[in-house]
Amino acid sequence: MKLDAIQAAESKLLLSTYERNPILFVRGEGVHLIDEKGDRYLDLLTGIGVNALGYSHPAIEQTIAEQSKKLIHTSNLFFHEGQAELALRLTERSGMDRAFFCNSGTEAIEAALKLSRAHAGAKRSEGKHLGTKFLALEHGFHGRTMGSVAATHKEKYREPFAPVMPDVEFVRFNDVADLEAKFSSDVCAVLIEAVQGEGGIHPVSQEFMQTARDLTHSTGALLIVDEIQAGLGRTGKWFAYQHYGIQPDVTTLAKPIAGGLPLGAMLCTEEAAQAIHPGMHGTTFGGGPLACAVAIAVIDTIEKEHLLDHINEVGSYFHQKLEQLQKKHSAITEVRGLGLMLAAELDSAELAKTVLAEMLKRRILINRTSETVLRFLPPYILGKEHIDEAIDALDTILTQQGPATAGEQAHHTKGGTHIG
Ligand SMILES: Cc1ncc(COP(=O)(O)O)c(C=O)c1O
């Protein structure tokens, strides 16, 4: 089918959840996506932070080919070779003790929320007071299912589906006093993205993270760090919380973990894990042999190809280049991020929209979040030459657009766009 026929068919047949760009991708190679006309696009978005090793990576291709001939699915009623091996790799790198595998980010969050409630219940049965309330952060994003969306700040995601899970209170971003005021023994868990992704690439402050750790330690509540976008190397460390020198009780992973196959994981401490017993939680597909085999290959490839060092090197090059661009173009109000999770905030939503469209015309894929923020989530195998190409394009576009017109002012309290 051609693009226009697909568009027509989808508009009749699919639930209208997405506003897709009119491009039909048919394959990918390295850092490039290729459309049905053979045009190549430099992909600095990687399917919203998923295709960390780029496209057609031999390690992924080979693993899928071999594993698909052996076993794709068994359910969680039986053993297979992959889960323990993958759990070992993840627990060693995260400092956690146990893993639960599922199929997506939002499911990993659901597992973390359920674990927190069960953990608090277990504490109550030992005579300790630990309530059922969650604290989450303003501008945080944790997914679309009823629990995750309840912990997601933006009202437009929650309101049409009300009532979502009750007992979530939002804390002002990086506001330590607000966190202290809202925290009590009624709280069973505090949920934080170390670097807010959909919220516009905002790292939480060291003081805020440390306070969250100290408060949760003081009552026995769980600290959950959502690493679905920032985790597994993207920020230059395996886990973004490792930049803070703290160890959470629970962390969640998904996007890049299985090279584009659906897989999510919740990792937790032995103490938290004690709250879950057979039958309390589970999934049919989660942690299947194919997804686990690919995830093992992804982790081993990141290690073998020294990609964490590479991310740090090209990430700081990209950051510097964006800062140089900021000096030249006053329309860039801030450059933020860690490793290859980067953002350039512009002074108007209109300009950000135009820049995105112009980048697309030049066949460079980025996206816009929180209205005014250009977000870069490129593959870990990105080269400096690709960064130069993107920076040159941005420079040309911003020069053509001239000084920013008085538009919507960039601010972290503004609404935004989530396309995932
Ligand atoms: C930090 C964070 N948590 C959770 C999710 C939800 O993940 P999924 O879309 O796989 O359900 C996302 C997705 O963007 C995310 O960025």
Side-chain angles (χ1 to χ4, degrees), residues 158-302:
R158 284 181 283 125
E159 216 174 37
F161 310 107
V164 293
M165 179 186 75
D167 253 3
V168 180
E169 191 171 9
F170 293 99
V171 174
R172 281 195 293 277
F173 184 76
N174 274 345
D175 187 333
V176 171
D178 197 38
L179 175 62
E180 285 171 338
K182 287 173 179 160
F183 188 84
S184 72
S185 62
D186 291 339
V187 171
C188 67
V190 176
L191 175 57
I192 293 180
E193 289 163 86
V195 184
Q196 288 191 332
E198 304 307 313
I201 315 293
H202 287 276
V204 299
S205 68
Q206 178 68 40
E207 191 192 2
F208 191 90
M209 184 67 100
Q210 191 60 56
T211 305
R213 182 62 288 183
D214 294 344
L215 289 172
T216 44
H217 265 156
S218 72
T219 61
L222 301 181
L223 175 62
I224 307 168
V225 179
D226 178 349
E227 296 265 344
I228 288 162
Q229 193 163 138
L232 224 76
R234 174 146 306 277
T235 67
K237 290 192 187 283
W238 283 109
F239 291 83
Y241 61 74
Q242 290 165 340
H243 291 281
Y244 295 82
I246 62 108
Q247 181 69 24
D249 304 293
V250 181
T251 190
T252 52
L253 284 171
K255 291 175 180 286
I257 188 172
L261 292 185
L263 182 68
M266 182 204 64
L267 311 176
C268 65
T269 60
E270 185 64 40
E271 197 270 333
Q274 292 310 309
I276 296 287
H277 307 293
M280 279 174 73
H281 190 55
T283 153
T284 301
F285 286 114
L290 183 63
C292 284
V294 177
I296 290 165
V298 167
I299 292 170
D300 290 352
T301 303
I302 291 173

Side-chain angles (χ1 to χ4, degrees), residues 52-54 57-63 89 93 232 238 257 259 293-311 380-381:
L53 300 185
H57 193 288
I60 293 181
E61 283 186 348
Q62 200 182 326
T63 308
R89 281 166 174 73
R93 285 161 184 79
L232 224 76
W238 283 109
I257 188 172
V294 177
I296 290 165
V298 167
I299 292 170
D300 290 352
T301 303
I302 291 173
E303 212 121 76
K304 207 160 70 197
E305 297 185 2
H306 308 290
L307 288 178
L308 294 187
D309 290 342
H310 181 74
I311 289 164
Y380 300 175
I381 56 168

